[in-house]
Amino acid sequence: TLASRVYQSGCSWMVDTGRGAVSGRRLVLATNAYTGALHRGLAQTGFLTPSRSQVSALPLGKAMKDNPDILLHRSTGLNDLGTGDYFFYRHQSGHLVYGGGRGHSKTGDRNTVDDSTVNRDIADYFERVPPELFGEASWGEGGTAVKEWSGIVCYTPDRCPIVGESPTQKGLW
């Protein structure tokens, strides 16, 4: 169920949910960008930066439809592009699932927790990039995205996750 707030009460950690409150001596936050929304103290430090992230499900290009496994056998990250791009092939649906594209946003998607929209600049980039990556001849003519969605991720200044017990709040992990 959705958690709406966490707080300390005596030696216990409390979690308010739509079904009531739960408590425990230890609390593990595994919430990514929503940590700041639940834990006001951490939010006030400014250490976490929420950001909208985006993904598109793309039909394969016409030249790749006959034998997609040649180039799409596994998923991969394309970190050398500086955009956080990654993709994987869904055999069940026959779609290339492509995500990342952060460097192609003209509006900026950092410091937002609104994932109700799709950034058109990034979506357009996703449709343009497969022929560039795989080559026009290998990819062939492509189509428009079958599905597009966004979600909220979170960054720390060093881009490393926060792991371990809080140094100032016993029982909070």
Side-chain angles (χ1 to χ4, degrees):
T1 187
L2 180 65
S4 58
R5 182 173 76 128
V6 301
Y7 58 96
Q8 201 166 15
S9 177
C11 294
S12 293
W13 282 96
M14 305 295 294
V15 180
D16 289 341
T17 76
R19 295 182 185 171
V22 294
S23 66
R25 289 184 324 191
R26 292 181 192 91
L27 174 65
V28 177
L29 292 173
T31 56
N32 200 345
Y34 294 102
T35 300
L38 291 174
H39 188 282
R40 306 290 187 238
L42 189 54
Q44 291 170 349
T45 68
F47 192 71
L48 300 176
T49 303
S51 180
R52 181 175 37 230
S53 189
Q54 194 163 306
V55 180
S56 288
L58 303 165
L60 294 183
K62 289 183 180 176
M64 195 170 280
K65 283 186 180 181
D66 290 337
N67 195 356
D69 290 331
I70 290 174
L71 296 174
L72 301 173
H73 185 65
R74 300 200 171 141
S75 64
T76 189
L78 304 169
N79 293 328
D80 59 334
L81 294 178
T83 60
D85 286 12
Y86 62 92
F87 67 83
F88 59 92
Y89 175 61
R90 297 245 334 144
H91 292 275
Q92 301 88 338
S93 66
H95 296 131
L96 180 74
V97 178
Y98 201 103
R102 289 189 300 267
H104 295 273
S105 172
K106 294 176 186 162
T107 59
D109 293 298
R110 291 209 182 266
N111 290 310
T112 184
V113 292
D114 178 8
D115 64 356
S116 64
T117 62
V118 167
N119 182 312
R120 285 300 344 139
D121 298 326
I122 295 173
D124 292 344
Y125 163 73
F126 288 158
E127 290 182 8
R128 285 192 321 269
V129 76
E132 293 173 17
L133 285 175
F134 300 113
E136 283 284 344
S138 296
W139 184 258
E141 186 180 327
T144 59
V146 175
K147 177 94 173 138
E148 300 168 320
W149 62 99
S150 65
I152 303 301
V153 297
C154 193
Y155 296 96
T156 59
D158 61 4
R159 295 190 179 198
C160 292
I162 300 172
V163 179
E165 187 172 21
S166 168
T168 61
Q169 296 178 295
K170 186 135 183 75
L172 178 66
W173 293 77

